[in-house]
Amino acid sequence: MLSASIVHLIMSLVDLYTFLIFVYVMMSWLPSKRGVLADIDYVLGRLCDPYLNLFRRIIPPIGMVDVSPIVALLVLQFAVRLLLILI
């Protein structure tokens, strides 16, 4: 059985990654990114794109809307909660 502090750490890391994906998706709505915003977008892309690309390969965009981040976030939240239940 994992201690409460390890479970709390796992949940905090998943919540942080969820927040990073959310910010990355919201930044895609900005028309142009220059300076600091471009740097933030680059870093977030390096952190989030490997995970999001798993879902982009499976789920095609609907018109101009990419719904894969929604599915990716749902899978992430479901998987970590299932993992914590099983541990």
Side-chain angles (χ1 to χ4, degrees):
M1 187 83 189
L2 289 177
S3 71
S5 60
I6 294 175
V7 170
H8 181 67
L9 176 65
I10 292 170
M11 291 300 297
S12 296
L13 289 174
V14 168
D15 289 343
L16 174 64
Y17 195 63
T18 299
F19 178 73
L20 293 176
I21 291 172
F22 180 76
V23 170
Y24 182 57
V25 169
M26 292 296 117
M27 285 188 68
S28 71
W29 294 358
L30 297 176
S32 64
K33 299 174 197 90
R34 295 186 184 125
V36 175
L37 284 180
D39 295 339
I40 293 170
D41 187 58
Y42 175 76
V43 170
L44 288 176
R46 300 279 295 180
L47 291 171
C48 300
D49 276 339
Y51 178 66
L52 292 175
N53 286 340
L54 296 172
F55 297 92
R56 288 180 179 143
R57 288 186 207 128
I58 300 168
I59 305 165
I62 300 171
M64 292 184 64
V65 178
D66 183 13
V67 295
S68 60
I70 297 168
V71 175
L73 288 173
L74 290 173
V75 167
L76 180 64
Q77 293 296 315
F78 177 75
V80 75
R81 279 159 178 73
L82 180 65
L83 176 70
L84 292 175
I85 289 171
L86 295 175
I87 293 178

